[in-house]
Amino acid sequence: MKNLFGRSLFGRTWLIAVFIFLYIPIVTLVVYSFNDSRLSTAWTGFTFKWYVDAAHDRELIDGLIISLKLAFMSATLSVIFGTFTAFVLVRYGRFKGRGMLASMANAPLVMPDVIVGISLLLMLVAMQKWLGFPERGIGTILLGHALIGTSFATVVIMSRLREIDHHLEEAAMDLGCKPFQVFALVTLPLIAAALVSAFLLTFTLSFDDVVIAAFLSGPGSTTLPLVIFSRARLGLDPSINAVATVIIVVVSIGVIASSLYQLRAGRRRQREVAEAYAQVKN
Amino acid sequence: MMFKSILPRIHGLFTVRNLVIAVPMVWLFALAAAPLLLVLDISLAHMNITSVSSIWHWADDELTLKFNFGNYLYLGDDSLYFKTYLSSLTFAAVTTLYCLVLGYPFAYFIARAPAHLRSVLLMLVMLPFWTSFLLRIYAWKALLSDNGVVNQGLAELGLVSSPLHMMHTSFSLTIGMVYAYLPFMVLPLYATLVKLDGRMLEAAADLGASPFKTFWLVTVPLTKRGIIAGSLLVFIPAFGEYVIPELLGGPRTLMIARVLWDEFFSNNDWPMASAVTIVMILLILVPMALFNRYNDETKLGDKS
């Protein structure tokens, strides 16, 4: 093919160069988690001691447990409210306030985290003043994460809802299903894969966030990113590299496994469709 | 009489449909809209020693509103704020430009790769995106510091005699930002490039257009949508970025989110911080409106 970047040497070089740029920091994190020296970034020898250190580091372990809990709860709430938002926006046609709902759902996608953090914190402080609750802690971080998560989950679920054939829902309705039955028995199974993707995405968003958590955390709710961030500000800490390596390995296995699964599921679906088509033709 | 006419209307309000609409409405209003309205409210108040004054005054059965525009006037007076907004916009624009220059050929080549390779390459783009953003930014500290990996490599090759000072400069900040936001540019670009009809390019070539001309007159206009979407997805968050300037930036790389953070946590001046926030929102409203319009356009495009 004759075009500017085509399958040329230039194209390949560019591709490889950008991939190196994307992966160099990750490789560095992993390599230095096995480096013996604490102070210098020079390679002085192979060691596992930072993993041992990290495993005995109460602050890191507590942070990890808090972050995992938080991410799980946030992803659950996000998927629930994201499903509601997406369903209302896609299936309910026009109604009063639709534009407002759409922009409220879109805003957190593009709003800088500092703004989300500050505005929620000011509201919580005002609430505390007038109502006496809530105390800042995991619950308040959860509100912030679930807000961001709802927006992202809405986008993922909306695109799937648009794809599925609404005739299936209409058919169920014609056959006497109540609206709730249609949703539970027809719509939900059809969007199940999107719900899983939305859950994984919002879990990751919560597990990664440092800015919103910094604003909304209280005593006893120091998440893993908050611990890492406060240490990273001071300098380099090899036990962070050890934690990073563990996270990278877990995430990579997850991402590779899920894309393999999706690839297989896609092929199986294609084959099934082809077989069904062949049967109809015969 | 009155009840008779009102009751069915109230009853009509509580349909299942309306209740289902109410769930996301209330949730998003409470968490997205109400806090922003409160920020606007506080930005018009002023700071008493430990508490924020209220703009609402209730006295002698009269409600009066007292707006204090002092915070906004101060924003205009103090050149530091102006410089910081300007510098944040510049860093965001430079980041967007570099992401586009790096990302466009990158997305193009992925889109032109054989189909079985494409999904693998896309997964490789997404993989860093799933691993902690914070840790990946932290890694650049080890790469760019004075005794870091890059300097050691350069010294090893004999290219530099004394270490290059890269950390805590606009260089390290820009690298970190481009690195973090590149996937946001690549994915929408890829989405439009992969749909590009190869016959159009062949037609242009057959009609005698040079590869460069084909690219500029055919490929770029056809992928305008991806370029706009990608640029906005990079520009908007880059403008309000906090973590990257905090870890990789220096005292001279002014970013508005850091000033906001300090105003809030160090100076404890909430009304001032709120005013800074409101101006930030006003500054991103324009690109945000563009983003929404783009979103609507693609929705309409999907239907046809």
Side-chain angles (χ1 to χ4, degrees):
Chain A
M1 200 185 285
K2 264 191 198 171
N3 52 47
L4 201 54
F5 311 118
R7 288 176 191 172
S8 57
L9 186 67
F10 173 74
R12 276 178 201 195
T13 318
W14 196 276
L15 193 67
I16 292 166
V18 174
F19 270 121
I20 289 177
F21 176 59
L22 285 176
Y23 280 88
I24 262 197
I26 296 173
V27 173
T28 315
L29 277 176
V30 175
V31 169
Y32 281 93
S33 75
F34 298 110
N35 186 12
D36 197 41
S37 155
R38 166 179 283 273
L39 291 171
S40 144
T41 43
W43 183 263
T44 52
F46 187 89
T47 180
F48 274 120
K49 69 178 173 194
W50 308 121
Y51 290 84
V52 180
D53 269 16
H56 288 98
D57 192 326
R58 276 254 58 101
E59 207 187 11
L60 281 177
I61 300 296
D62 288 347
L64 176 67
I65 293 169
I66 291 174
S67 281
L68 287 174
K69 276 187 196 162
L70 187 65
F72 182 81
M73 292 189 289
S74 167
T76 310
L77 281 180
S78 304
V79 169
I80 293 172
F81 285 105
T83 308
F84 267 106
T85 315
F87 189 80
V88 165
L89 286 175
V90 175
R91 285 284 185 269
Y92 273 17
R94 285 173 192 280
F95 58 89
K96 248 185 212 162
R98 188 184 185 280
M100 193 175 126
L101 184 66
S103 35
M104 286 194 304
N106 264 333
L109 294 178
V110 286
M111 202 67 91
D113 287 347
V114 263
I115 296 183
V116 175
I118 260 193
S119 60
L120 275 170
L121 175 57
L122 288 173
M123 187 182 74
L124 292 168
V125 169
M127 273 176 75
Q128 214 167 17
K129 195 170 152 199
W130 300 116
L131 305 169
F133 73 95
E135 286 293 322
R136 260 186 272 160
I138 297 182
T140 50
I141 306 178
L142 176 61
L143 286 178
H145 286 182
L147 168 65
I148 304 284
T150 302
S151 295
F152 278 89
T154 303
V155 174
V156 174
I157 298 166
M158 261 175 98
S159 68
R160 178 69 188 135
L161 269 177
R162 284 217 187 86
E163 263 173 35
I164 63 173
D165 192 351
H166 65 267
H167 291 114
L168 292 171
E169 289 163 321
E170 278 164 20
M173 200 91 90
D174 289 345
L175 294 171
C177 275
K178 297 212 165 63
F180 179 74
Q181 284 178 311
V182 175
F183 181 76
L185 298 173
V186 180
T187 316
L188 264 190
L190 283 172
I191 61 170
L195 298 187
V196 174
S197 318
F199 187 92
L200 293 176
L201 176 64
T202 53
F203 187 96
T204 311
L205 287 173
S206 166
F207 192 74
D208 254 11
D209 166 73
V210 58
V211 174
I212 295 172
F215 280 98
L216 302 178
S217 71
S221 60
T222 312
T223 62
L224 184 63
L226 282 175
V227 177
I228 294 173
F229 187 55
S230 68
R231 291 191 192 179
R233 266 172 158 171
L234 298 174
L236 300 169
D237 176 352
S239 19
I240 293 185
N241 289 58
V243 174
T245 305
V246 173
I247 294 178
I248 289 166
V249 169
V250 171
V251 168
S252 308
I253 291 174
V255 170
I256 292 169
S258 84
S259 34
L260 279 180
Y261 173 79
Q262 272 174 8
L263 212 67
R264 284 224 185 117
R267 280 194 196 137
R268 196 175 56 221
R269 203 179 304 139
Q270 271 177 359
R271 201 178 54 230
E272 282 168 4
V273 168
E275 276 168 10
Y277 190 69
Q279 275 176 0
V280 171
K281 275 215 140 174
N282 295 335
Chain B
M1 251 328 256
M2 250 178 78
F3 281 118
K4 263 189 188 167
S5 60
I6 287 172
L7 262 181
R9 289 176 81 181
I10 290 177
H11 197 73
L13 224 56
F14 289 97
T15 56
V16 173
R17 181 185 154 97
N18 282 349
L19 286 177
V20 171
I21 292 175
V23 173
M25 221 36 152
V26 170
W27 170 254
L28 284 170
F29 184 83
L31 293 178
L36 289 180
L37 293 174
L38 188 73
V39 170
L40 181 64
D41 178 299
I42 293 177
S43 76
L44 294 165
H46 51 82
M47 199 74 194
N48 297 327
I49 298 140
T50 53
S51 65
V52 177
S53 73
S54 173
I55 62 168
W56 312 84
H57 292 270
W58 176 259
D60 303 327
D61 300 338
E62 249 183 299
L63 179 69
T64 46
L65 281 173
K66 264 194 199 164
F67 293 144
N68 168 31
F69 290 104
N71 300 315
Y72 290 97
L73 292 175
Y74 188 68
L75 275 184
D77 273 352
D78 192 334
S79 67
L80 173 75
Y81 289 105
F82 180 75
K83 271 190 203 156
T84 312
Y85 281 119
L86 197 66
S87 144
S88 308
L89 289 171
T90 314
F91 271 116
V94 169
T95 303
T96 312
L97 195 68
Y98 281 136
C99 282
L100 190 60
V101 170
L102 270 180
Y104 198 98
F106 184 64
Y108 189 98
F109 193 66
I110 295 180
R112 288 280 158 277
H116 65 277
L117 257 180
R118 244 184 268 156
S119 52
V120 176
L121 292 174
L122 263 193
M123 194 196 73
L124 284 173
V125 176
M126 288 297 288
L127 194 63
F129 178 82
W130 287 94
T131 49
S132 170
F133 160 80
L134 179 61
L135 289 168
R136 285 182 293 126
I137 295 304
Y138 162 79
W140 280 101
K141 277 185 104 147
L143 280 163
L144 296 178
S145 63
D146 284 357
N147 57 354
V149 178
V150 173
N151 266 318
Q152 279 175 34
L154 290 175
E156 204 87 353
L157 294 170
L159 291 172
V160 292
S161 48
S162 62
L164 291 175
H165 184 63
M166 293 179 286
M167 259 313 276
H168 304 303
T169 61
S170 54
F171 174 75
S172 56
L173 176 58
T174 312
I175 281 222
M177 301 258 272
V178 172
Y179 169 75
Y181 290 114
L182 189 58
F184 293 85
M185 180 65 89
V186 170
L187 294 176
L189 282 177
Y190 170 81
T192 51
L193 279 165
V194 81
K195 280 187 243 160
L196 194 68
D197 191 343
R199 285 172 304 180
M200 299 261 203
L201 306 182
E202 279 164 27
D206 288 347
L207 294 170
S210 67
F212 182 77
K213 218 172 176 185
T214 311
F215 173 71
W216 194 247
L217 294 176
V218 182
T219 314
V220 169
L222 284 175
T223 50
K224 203 179 86 190
R225 223 166 235 176
I227 296 174
I228 295 174
S231 301
L232 291 172
L233 282 177
V234 173
F235 183 85
I236 300 171
F239 171 66
E241 179 56 45
Y242 172 78
V243 174
I244 306 174
E246 180 65 25
L247 291 181
L248 301 180
R252 295 212 279 171
T253 52
L254 296 170
M255 288 292 279
I256 193 63
R258 274 179 97 189
V259 171
L260 179 58
W261 184 285
D262 289 342
E263 207 68 68
F264 196 86
F265 285 116
S266 308
N267 301 347
N268 264 314
D269 191 340
W270 295 1
M272 197 65 216
S274 301
V276 174
T277 307
I278 295 293
V279 174
M280 258 178 103
I281 294 175
L282 291 177
L283 284 175
I284 51 175
L285 269 184
V286 178
M288 239 169 97
L290 272 174
F291 179 76
N292 280 338
R293 213 189 71 175
Y294 161 81
N295 257 358
D296 287 346
E297 270 177 20
T298 44
K299 270 173 219 158
L300 290 177
D302 282 349
K303 272 175 197 161
S304 62

